[in-house]
Amino acid sequence: MSSYMKILSRIVIVYLALILTGCLESSFDLSDESRLPRWFSIPEGVSRSDVKVTLDYYTDGEAVFNFLALQEKTFIREKLSGDTLKNGPLKLKNPPAGYPKHYPMYQVITINGITEIIEHRKMESVFYITDDPAVWKTLGVEQR
């Protein structure tokens, strides 16, 4: 096999691996103002200010949440993933006043049978968890 064919075959293998696993599309930090997603709980003796949650969206539709808490001198880590809706992100037909054009945007994500609605309020690397019953109803999601 020629060196050209070897290089080409390696490129094809890498390309197929990326398609199958997805590439990181964007990353966000949970706002300090927001509550934690119900998939996570704050360990005893840890305050909310000692907890960080990040969200990474991948091109294959996977959403990965990383939980990090500092308990005394020990880091507690947890990683959970779920899928985003294939037709997302979702937008409200009549968005509330005060948001930039095309915002807010939402992603409905279920992990371990628990559904949360992720809210992106503007183009920034921050996300929120929404409990607004009107948003849940408008997006057709049953709020528990």
Side-chain angles (χ1 to χ4, degrees):
M1 183 183 287
S2 72
S3 61
Y4 172 75
M5 290 302 291
K6 287 179 184 178
I7 292 171
L8 184 59
S9 65
R10 288 181 183 150
I11 290 172
V12 169
I13 290 170
V14 169
Y15 179 74
L16 290 174
L18 290 173
I19 289 174
L20 294 175
T21 60
C23 295
L24 180 62
E25 183 179 299
S26 51
S27 296
F28 301 88
D29 294 320
L30 180 64
S31 169
D32 292 337
E33 303 166 15
S34 183
R35 71 166 174 82
L36 293 178
R38 289 176 288 143
W39 315 302
F40 300 116
S41 58
I42 299 175
E44 190 175 321
V46 175
S47 68
R48 172 67 176 88
S49 62
D50 293 327
V51 173
K52 180 176 180 164
V53 176
T54 61
L55 164 58
D56 297 328
Y57 289 121
Y58 287 83
T59 56
D60 64 354
E62 183 181 29
V64 176
F65 293 83
N66 290 288
F67 174 90
L68 182 63
L70 180 59
Q71 187 176 40
E72 296 177 9
K73 295 182 179 180
T74 304
F75 283 109
I76 299 168
R77 295 175 189 259
E78 191 173 349
K79 182 177 182 177
L80 296 173
S81 65
D83 292 326
T84 60
L85 296 176
K86 301 304 178 207
N87 60 347
L90 304 172
K91 297 177 185 174
L92 302 177
K93 201 177 250 187
N94 300 307
Y99 286 91
K101 187 176 182 179
H102 305 297
Y103 285 90
M105 292 191 300
Y106 301 94
Q107 287 285 1
V108 179
I109 300 174
T110 302
I111 297 176
N112 298 329
I114 300 170
T115 299
E116 292 283 16
I117 297 180
I118 308 304
E119 181 178 61
H120 298 279
R121 297 181 180 174
K122 58 184 175 180
M123 188 180 289
E124 63 180 352
S125 61
V126 175
F127 75 98
Y128 301 80
I129 303 296
T130 185
D131 291 315
D132 184 340
V135 171
W136 282 72
K137 184 177 179 181
T138 301
L139 296 179
V141 181
E142 184 180 328
Q143 192 171 18
R144 297 179 193 192

